[in-house]
Each structure stands twice: as C-alpha cells, then as structure tokens.
Amino acid sequence: MDSSNITYNTFKDYLDHLMAGKETACVEFKYGKGGFPHKEF
C-alpha cells in the first residue's frame, strides 16, 4: 500500500488508513491483550 502521495489531517487518519489495509513488510498489527498501558492508545 503506497501512501506517499496521500495527505492525512491527523495521525489517527493515517492509522485508520493503515488498519484498513493488510500487514506488509512495513506494517504489522498486534493485539493488545489485557489492554494498553496508556489510555491515549
């Protein structure tokens, strides 16, 4: 997924774009079993 020509308004928009795709050599998804250490995540 090439996102080099796309502009995102927020970091969340960028993450949403990544999560809409699939894992690649540059993107790997993890499951936060038991939650995440900070609510900001």
Side-chain angles (χ1 to χ4, degrees), residues 2-36:
D2 181 18
S3 58
S4 59
N5 295 325
I6 301 173
T7 301
Y8 302 98
N9 293 321
T10 65
F11 186 65
K12 182 185 180 310
D13 290 342
Y14 177 63
L15 290 178
D16 288 341
H17 172 79
L18 289 177
M19 291 188 301
K22 61 181 183 178
E23 289 188 0
T24 67
C26 297
V27 177
E28 182 176 342
F29 299 109
K30 297 292 184 187
Y31 176 74
K33 183 177 181 181
F36 289 99

